[in-house]
Amino acid sequence: MEHVPPPAEELALLDRELARLDARRLQLLSRRSWLVAVLRPPVAPLSPPPPGFRPVAAPFAWGPPRQAAPATGARGAQNVLLGLGGLLLAVAAIAFTLFSWGEMGIAGRSAVLTAVTAGALVAPAPLLGRRLSSTAEALAAVALVLTVLDAYALHAAVLPDTDGLGFAAASSAVLAVAWAAYGLGLGRLRLPLPAAVVAGQFPLVLWAWYADGAAVAFGWALLVTAAADVAVASWGGRLAVRVAAWSGAAVTGSVALLIGLVTSLSAGGAVAAVGPGALLLAGAVVALSAGWRAPREWAVTGGVVAGGSAVAGVGGVLRTGVPWSWAVVVYLLCGAALSAVVRLRAVPRPVVRGVVGASVAVTGAAVLVVLPVVAAVLFGPASLVTDVWSGAPEGVRGAVGASVRWPDAGPAPVVLLVSAALLGAAYAARGRAGGPRTGWWAAAGCGALGLGWAGAVVLPVVVDASYAVAVVMGLLLVAGLSEVAVRRAPDAVAWTALGCALVGAVGTGLPALAAEPATHAVFGALVVLFAGVAVRSRVAAVRSVAAVASVLCALVVAGAVGASLGWSAPRAAVAVLVVPAVTVGLGLRLRAAAPTLSPSPPLSRPLSLSLSLEIAGAFGALVAVGLSVPDAPYLALVLGLCGVLAAATALRPERRPGAGYLAAGLFVAATWVRLGASGVADPETYTLPVSVVACGVGFLRRRGDPEASSWVAYGPGLAVTLLPSLVTAWPDPHWARPLLLGVAALVVTLVGARRRLQAPLVLGGSVLALDALHELAPHVAQVLDALPRWAFPALAGLLLLALGATYEQRLRDARRVRESLGRMR
């Protein structure tokens, strides 16, 4: 019989054989290509095909098609060689000038430099005529270097007594003109003209340095250089010339404007600020002219630079007439004046967008300057949380604190309100024009609303209004913003209004903590305001957020009522639980009203509102539990009341699973806490009757609904007795209680296994195991003391080996146990 290998082995054999055949085939194809190239005769010139001739397609051949040999990089190699040659010549010329210059007489030196420089300058012309452009470029580069060396040699040998800076300024100007003329004369050379632009950056700067000019003089020298660069870049023909000119204009213009800005800010008076202001205005004109002819992106940049420079120049002069803290208002008004450029139709639109962008940038910078004042006003009263009801101050600044120098904070509301007016005008103009208010226009509307609200919040504190006026004004602002959120469609402005209303409620509520009547009045009004928003709004998300805010404010009111009555924190926790009780009732009411709602608004709206109310109510219940922790009897009462609320929530079918378990756990916890607070040594006297009644109710429940879970039917009743007994039996030194508890747990475990009930099996088995561990603990301790220390690592190692050897079996056993428990009820 023929041996047939297994499929896996046969597949491996086939793969190896195919790989060997592919390698052999590639080898043969390579050899064939070489033989064809050797035996191929020279190709004769092809005669034109006769009329009507049709080429025949080449026959099909195996293997990849032959590719023509890549063209050699002759041009690249030539450029590399010429570049290296020119570099070596330049190095040699520099070495000759620096080290061998003094060994020759004046005639010899002049003759050498003149001859070499003239030859290097003349040689590119015939080379260009012979179409050797790369060689001509290399020699032209050497010629430019030689002209620089000529200038150095002239100063070192002929004019040693002249000032170096002055000579350098004159030399750079002469070289710039000479290189430009040379480049224009030999138009096919690409290097001289950009080199002339680079050389042109130095004459004026070096001249200002030579003349010991002030900072403004340096700025003017740089600015004039930048203007010349802009002219060259705007009307220059070649790309390399334009790139060099734009780069020079960017560098020199930026440094000039920076000098003007620094000197303008440091000027002590109007006369001293005029010079830097003129420099900045001239820079704005240069930037504007640069953007006028530049491409779109660069035109926008030119407009931004022009607008910013104009604001810095004019504002730097005007701000000297006001205190330093009000300088931000001056710059803001100058920036606002830039928006008038929108009406100038002759200005290109990209430049207009740049100027408007500069106006927006100035506005944003002004807002950032006063933003710390807004933060101090909103969150400064947080310190009152630790000193509640310390007494209402005379002025509102007493409730905010001294984190800001208020005499210098006067410009803050002006800046905020002016910025809001500017953004609001832009938003309104967009609406009158009929365009969509999306993107940047929507951001303008949101910014106008937010900045206007911030200005109104800061204004009473800046003018140090009375405490009552500031609190009432804060409430009115919250009410107005809430009305905007209710009446508008769900757009960005509406959400901004709601967010400002929430932050404003915090900013108004914190100062109200200073006085008891203010606390009740302010937070009571906030409860009504946000409840009204939740009722009137037609947007589900707005309703939910407003409902949560109303519940949180109601929690503060409930706590304040308890404090006003003189109750302690644990006793006031009972009053706080009134708020979660109301949320539970509202949730039931909304669930009952859901089927009768009309199609608009949708059915999901009351359900989402109900969930928000329940979450806020659950938070209130946690607050109540936290307040009652110091007093165990009140803690037991609060836990029991929370269990009642959870049971009421479980009346809703969609909340029944989670709320039912939570109610059972809260009732059991309340029982434990109550027994511990009463110092009960035998909790079974109190818990056993409850367990019997609860298990009887669970039995009746299971008879009516066999599918009901055993945890719902028997879990609370068994836990009420088993768990407190286990806690009591653990420190008990006697044997009677652990024995009785173990017998009871064994009976419960056997009943659960017999009736296939999960709750009795798990609870009984867990209590039985812990009770047995309690009984065996002394003997285990004695055994552990008697064993040598090496026995513990050895036993651990044996246990790990046993588990590792039977790992899969243990997994199957665990999976089987889990499935068995899962099938129980």
Side-chain angles (χ1 to χ4, degrees):
M1 296 179 64
E2 183 180 359
H3 172 68
V4 178
E9 183 179 352
E10 185 179 2
L11 179 61
L13 291 173
L14 290 175
D15 289 339
R16 286 196 294 270
E17 186 65 17
L18 289 172
R20 188 184 63 80
L21 290 175
D22 289 338
R24 181 60 178 167
R25 177 173 173 273
L26 290 175
Q27 181 181 3
L28 294 175
L29 286 174
S30 177
R31 182 64 179 175
R32 179 182 180 278
S33 300
W34 182 81
L35 293 173
V36 169
V38 170
L39 298 176
R40 180 176 295 166
V43 180
L46 296 178
S47 58
F53 174 78
R54 292 183 179 180
V56 181
F60 179 81
W62 289 99
R66 287 192 301 108
Q67 298 181 355
T72 58
R75 177 71 63 179
Q78 179 188 13
N79 291 334
V80 170
L81 294 176
L82 291 173
L84 289 175
L87 179 62
L88 292 176
L89 286 175
V91 171
I94 293 172
F96 168 76
T97 304
L98 294 178
F99 303 108
S100 301
W101 181 257
E103 299 177 0
M104 302 177 65
I106 185 65
R109 288 177 284 182
S110 302
V112 170
L113 279 177
T114 302
V116 174
T117 304
L121 289 173
V122 173
L127 292 175
L128 290 175
R130 294 176 178 272
R131 296 183 180 179
L132 299 175
S133 58
S134 299
T135 308
E137 291 286 352
L139 287 177
V142 174
L144 298 181
V145 174
L146 287 174
T147 55
V148 177
L149 296 177
D150 288 341
Y152 169 77
L154 180 62
H155 178 264
V158 180
L159 302 172
D161 297 331
T162 58
D163 187 82
L165 290 175
F167 185 82
S171 299
S172 57
V174 171
L175 288 176
V177 174
W179 290 353
Y182 184 66
L184 293 174
L186 298 177
R188 294 174 59 185
L189 290 178
R190 293 173 293 180
L191 185 61
L193 289 178
V197 173
V198 174
Q201 309 303 310
F202 302 101
L204 293 178
V205 178
L206 293 175
W207 172 82
W209 193 359
Y210 167 71
D212 292 331
V216 177
F218 273 96
W220 279 108
L222 289 167
L223 186 61
V224 173
T225 304
D229 290 333
V230 169
V232 172
S234 301
W235 286 280
R238 296 181 180 179
L239 177 62
V241 176
R242 294 200 304 272
V243 170
W246 281 122
S247 302
V251 174
T252 55
S254 300
V255 177
L257 294 178
L258 182 60
I259 292 173
L261 179 62
V262 172
T263 52
S264 176
L265 293 176
S266 60
V271 177
V274 170
L279 175 62
L280 289 169
L281 289 177
V285 174
V286 172
L288 190 63
S289 61
W292 204 284
R293 295 176 56 87
R296 179 176 180 178
E297 294 78 9
W298 293 105
V300 174
T301 305
V304 171
V305 174
S309 301
V311 169
V314 177
V317 176
L318 297 179
R319 63 93 187 163
T320 57
V322 298
W324 177 253
S325 59
W326 286 87
V328 63
V329 178
V330 174
Y331 286 109
L332 176 63
L333 294 177
C334 293
L338 290 178
S339 58
V341 75
V342 177
R343 300 182 179 276
L344 301 179
R345 299 300 179 185
V347 181
R349 292 297 96 186
V351 177
V352 170
R353 282 193 291 270
V355 174
V356 172
S359 175
V360 173
V362 171
T363 304
V367 171
L368 289 178
V369 169
V370 302
L371 203 59
V373 179
V374 180
V377 171
L378 289 176
F379 305 109
S383 59
L384 295 174
V385 175
T386 59
D387 196 13
V388 178
W389 294 355
S390 57
E394 295 181 0
V396 70
R397 290 183 187 175
V400 173
S403 58
V404 176
R405 295 187 63 223
W406 296 112
D408 296 335
V414 178
V415 170
L416 294 171
L417 294 176
V418 170
S419 302
L422 292 175
L423 293 176
Y427 184 75
R430 183 66 174 180
R432 290 192 298 269
R437 293 175 175 176
T438 57
W440 290 107
W441 299 106
C446 297
L449 182 62
L451 293 177
W453 163 76
V457 168
V458 171
L459 182 60
V461 184
V462 171
V463 301
D464 198 15
S466 64
Y467 177 77
V469 171
V471 170
V472 171
M473 188 172 179
L475 284 176
L476 293 177
L477 285 175
V478 174
L481 293 169
S482 301
E483 189 67 20
V484 173
V486 169
R487 291 183 175 274
R488 286 188 64 90
D491 56 359
V493 176
W495 285 110
T496 302
L498 182 61
C500 292
L502 295 175
V503 179
V506 175
T508 305
L510 289 177
L513 297 176
E516 182 179 355
T519 302
H520 291 286
V522 169
F523 282 96
L526 291 176
V527 170
V528 175
L529 282 176
F530 288 119
V533 174
V535 172
R536 297 169 55 206
S537 178
R538 300 182 60 84
V539 181
V542 174
R543 288 166 58 91
S544 300
V545 173
V548 171
S550 180
V551 171
L552 295 179
C553 295
L555 292 175
V556 178
V557 172
V561 169
S564 298
L565 295 176
W567 293 351
S568 62
R571 192 175 180 184
V574 180
V576 172
L577 278 179
V578 174
V579 178
V582 173
T583 61
V584 171
L586 289 176
L588 293 173
R589 177 65 181 271
L590 289 172
R591 180 64 181 86
T596 61
L597 290 173
S598 59
S600 179
L603 182 63
S604 61
R605 189 179 76 174
L607 298 181
S608 63
L609 178 61
S610 173
L611 179 61
S612 303
L613 286 171
E614 290 169 357
I615 293 174
F619 175 76
L622 288 177
V623 172
V625 171
L627 291 174
S628 61
V629 166
D631 193 330
Y634 273 104
L635 177 60
L637 176 61
V638 170
L639 289 173
L641 293 176
C642 291
V644 173
L645 296 178
T649 305
L651 295 176
R652 298 173 56 180
E654 70 277 8
R655 303 283 191 266
R656 186 164 297 161
Y661 291 129
L662 179 61
L666 289 171
F667 283 136
V668 173
T671 304
W672 297 347
V673 174
R674 180 69 260 183
L675 293 175
S678 301
V680 176
D682 299 323
E684 295 83 4
T685 306
Y686 300 92
T687 60
L688 193 56
V690 177
S691 294
V692 172
V693 174
C695 289
V697 173
F699 177 74
L700 296 177
R701 167 72 186 277
R702 290 272 299 173
R703 287 187 61 182
D705 184 11
E707 296 299 324
S709 173
S710 62
W711 288 99
V712 176
Y714 302 114
L718 294 175
V720 165
T721 297
L722 290 178
L723 297 182
S725 298
L726 179 62
V727 173
T728 307
W730 194 262
D732 193 346
H734 303 289
W735 59 271
R737 185 187 301 275
L739 178 60
L740 293 176
L741 178 62
V743 172
L746 178 62
V747 171
V748 171
T749 304
L750 294 176
V751 171
R754 177 69 179 82
R755 305 295 298 177
R756 301 184 62 79
L757 298 175
Q758 190 179 109
L761 180 62
V762 173
L763 286 175
S766 301
V767 173
L768 181 60
L770 293 174
D771 185 66
L773 179 61
H774 169 263
E775 293 301 310
L776 293 175
H779 305 288
V780 173
Q782 292 178 1
V783 172
L784 293 178
D785 290 337
L787 289 176
R789 295 191 176 184
W790 57 263
F792 301 105
L795 292 175
L798 291 175
L799 178 61
L800 291 177
L801 288 175
L803 291 177
T806 59
Y807 180 73
E808 294 184 357
Q809 181 62 37
R810 300 286 79 77
L811 285 180
R812 287 193 292 268
D813 294 343
R815 193 178 298 112
R816 191 179 299 112
V817 171
R818 186 185 64 184
E819 292 174 355
S820 299
L821 286 175
R823 288 193 294 268
M824 295 181 180
R825 299 299 300 171

